[in-house]
């Protein structure tokens, strides 16, 4: 599913974000990416949905060779990857429904299917009754649920979540985690970067620790391993 | 692209105008102001041009006959006038025709004023309009007309008129005015373009984040660009149509208000229909082009996410 071979990433300002990372993530895995701030977690995530491209090494995502991908092919890779961010990144002037439906408009889905599927995922994340609300009218947890609904609406094979609980209180965070686990049970790979020690230690999954651009630990059912 | 998606882009483009109400208002205002100034200046230039044409064509000699001239004497005079070598044509105007012409000059107000002077009460004489081949020889031709007139007693004409003295400088002045007008219009068009481009750029910068989110969801560049294209075209078209309407109706009002006063000075403005035939396509064409050009060019810069 995701296959990294000796990946290096050097930014134009000379910063070495990744210094030779190799890892394989299989279908249906749930992986935490942990590590101190600035260790390369975000770069690791960005490479997967091709916001950045590797300076050196080979990276395959869903069979696409990310390093050699032509720019005009990027949208088609992203349609098979759902992305979730700490700051939700919803379109501020669209309702919850429109935000989710937008991802289906992009793939030119038939109108009927779009309506049905959008409401279906909004129900799944528990926001069926709030589909007409604008992001500003929703709480942080609800906005993140809309973002999750948007990420899964096209049935992607992978979800990349960069600190999805970073802005949420513990109770709301657990709600989001339950939802992600449910999505993982349904067959979607989840890669989640996090600083949340409690979640990693209680909801045990594979843990990949990145420090100073290198993978220093890769452990099934691992611990967070850092002081909070 | 599927037809359904095209429909979606048009719908989104229209909705975006309302969703970004204030920025749309700013764009519409800046297009309106630029094109309004441009339109007003084009009208000014058109009228200066028309006035120059009028002045040039007025380089002709008007000779007013005595009130009691007989048909026979008039015919004899006309033959003599035609024999002047510089003269191109001689047109005889009856007293009634002269009154009619004056009434047209003065517009609707003048018509009422002159109604009392019809028929027997007409104070105007019959006249000859004498055109020369070369406007520069008009002075020499006029001197010969005077000579023919004073050869008999009383003189054949009570008055011989032509644009004395102005003829020599007229052509230089009209040419200069036309050229300056053209330069100013071109300058205004460029200024308008920059003003509008800046406004649209501001709109796009505001929506840079939106564009990057769309890209993350897997939207192609074309998919993102289309609604912006529709939005730009619509804003350009709407604001320039508004400008054209305001300029033309404003001008119509100006014509109505000034018709009588200017008529007394023998000046006639470019008519509202003539003005509309130039202003409407010019304004709407420039406005729509600017809207489309601005949005397409600016979006391109932010698509490289």
């Amino acid at each position: 599913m995701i296959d990294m071979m000796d990946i290096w990433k050097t930014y134009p300002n000379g910063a070495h974000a990744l210094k030779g990372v190799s890892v394989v993530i299989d279908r249906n895995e749930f992986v935490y990416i942990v590590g101190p701030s600035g260790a390369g977690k975000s770069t690791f995530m960005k490479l997967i949905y091709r916001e950045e491209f590797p300076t050196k090494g080979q990276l395959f995502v869903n069979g696409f060779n990310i390093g050699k991908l032509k720019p005009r092919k990027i949208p088609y890779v992203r349609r098979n990857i759902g992305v979730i961010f700490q700051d939700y990144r919803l379109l501020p002037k669209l309702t919850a429904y429109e935000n989710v439906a937008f991802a289906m408009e992009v793939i030119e889905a038939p109108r009927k299917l779009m309506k049905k599927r959008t409401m279906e995922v909004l129900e799944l994340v528990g926001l069926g009754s709030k589909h007409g609300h604008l992001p500003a009218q929703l709480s942080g947890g609800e906005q993140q649920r809309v973002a999750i609904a948007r990420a899964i609406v096209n049935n992607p094979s992978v979800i990349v979540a960069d600190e999805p609980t970073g802005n949420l209180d513990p109770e709301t965070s657990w709600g989001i985690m339950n939802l992600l686990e449910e999505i993982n049970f349904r067959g979607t790979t989840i890669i989640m970067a996090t600083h949340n020690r409690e979640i990693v230690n209680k909801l045990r999954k594979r843990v990949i620790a990145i420090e100073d651009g290198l993978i220093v630990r890769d452990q099934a059912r691992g611990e967070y391993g850092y002081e909070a | 692209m599927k037809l359904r998606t095209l429909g979606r882009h048009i719908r989104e483009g229209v909705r975006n105008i309302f969703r970004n109400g204030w920025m749309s208002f700013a764009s519409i205002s800046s297009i309106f102001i630029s094109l309004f100034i441009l339109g007003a200046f084009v009208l000014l230039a058109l009228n200066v041009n028309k006035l120059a044409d009028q002045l040039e064509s007025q380089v002709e000699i008007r000779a007013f006959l005595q009130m009691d001239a007989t048909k026979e004497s008039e015919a004899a005079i006309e033959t003599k006038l035609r024999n002047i070598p510089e003269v191109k044509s001689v047109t005889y105007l009856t007293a009634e025709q002269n009154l009619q012409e004056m009434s047209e000059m003065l517009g609707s107000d003048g018509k009422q004023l002159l109604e009392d002077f019809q028929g027997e009460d007409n104070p105007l004489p019959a006249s000859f309009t004498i055109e020369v081949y070369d406007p520069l020889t008009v002075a020499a031709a006029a001197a010969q007309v005077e000579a023919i007139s004073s050869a008999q007693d009383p003189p054949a004409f009570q008055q011989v008129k032509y644009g004395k003295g102005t003829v020599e400088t007229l052509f230089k002045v009209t040419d200069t005015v036309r050229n300056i007008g053209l330069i100013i219009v071109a300058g205004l068009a460029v200024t308008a373009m920059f003003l509008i481009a800046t406004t649209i750029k501001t709109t796009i910068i505001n929506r840079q984040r939106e564009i990057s989110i769309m890209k993350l969801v897997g939207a192609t560049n074309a998919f993102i660009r289309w609604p912006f294209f529709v939005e730009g075209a619509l804003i350009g078209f709407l604001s320039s149509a508004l400008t054209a309407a305001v300029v033309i109706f404003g001008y119509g009002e100006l014509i109505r208000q000034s018709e009588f006063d200017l008529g007394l000075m023998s000046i006639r403005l470019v008519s509202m229909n003539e003005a509309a035939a130039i202003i409407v396509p010019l304004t709407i064409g420039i406005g729509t082009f600017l809207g489309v050009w601005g949005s397409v060019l600016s979006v391109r810069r932010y698509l490289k996410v």
Side-chain angles (χ1 to χ4, degrees), chain B residues 62-138:
Chain B
R62 295 292 295 272
F64 294 95
L65 289 153
Q66 299 291 356
M67 296 299 283
D68 54 3
T70 61
K71 286 279 169 219
E72 294 75 37
S73 66
E74 283 173 2
I77 293 285
E78 184 167 353
T79 319
K80 284 184 189 166
L81 291 176
R82 285 189 192 281
N83 285 337
I84 301 171
E86 287 89 351
V87 169
K88 181 174 143 197
S89 71
V90 177
T91 317
Y92 177 76
L93 289 175
T94 63
E96 286 71 35
Q97 282 171 321
N98 277 330
L99 187 68
Q100 177 72 25
E101 191 180 71
M102 186 174 203
S103 145
E104 270 169 26
M105 277 286 193
L106 295 178
S108 51
D109 292 349
K111 231 164 238 164
Q112 287 176 346
L113 199 74
L114 292 177
E115 237 160 42
D116 297 339
F117 299 108
Q118 297 293 341
E120 289 292 299
D121 298 324
N122 186 350
L124 300 174
S127 69
F128 286 112
T129 304
I130 302 143
E131 279 184 71
V132 291
Y133 288 103
D134 180 358
L136 293 175
T137 63
V138 72

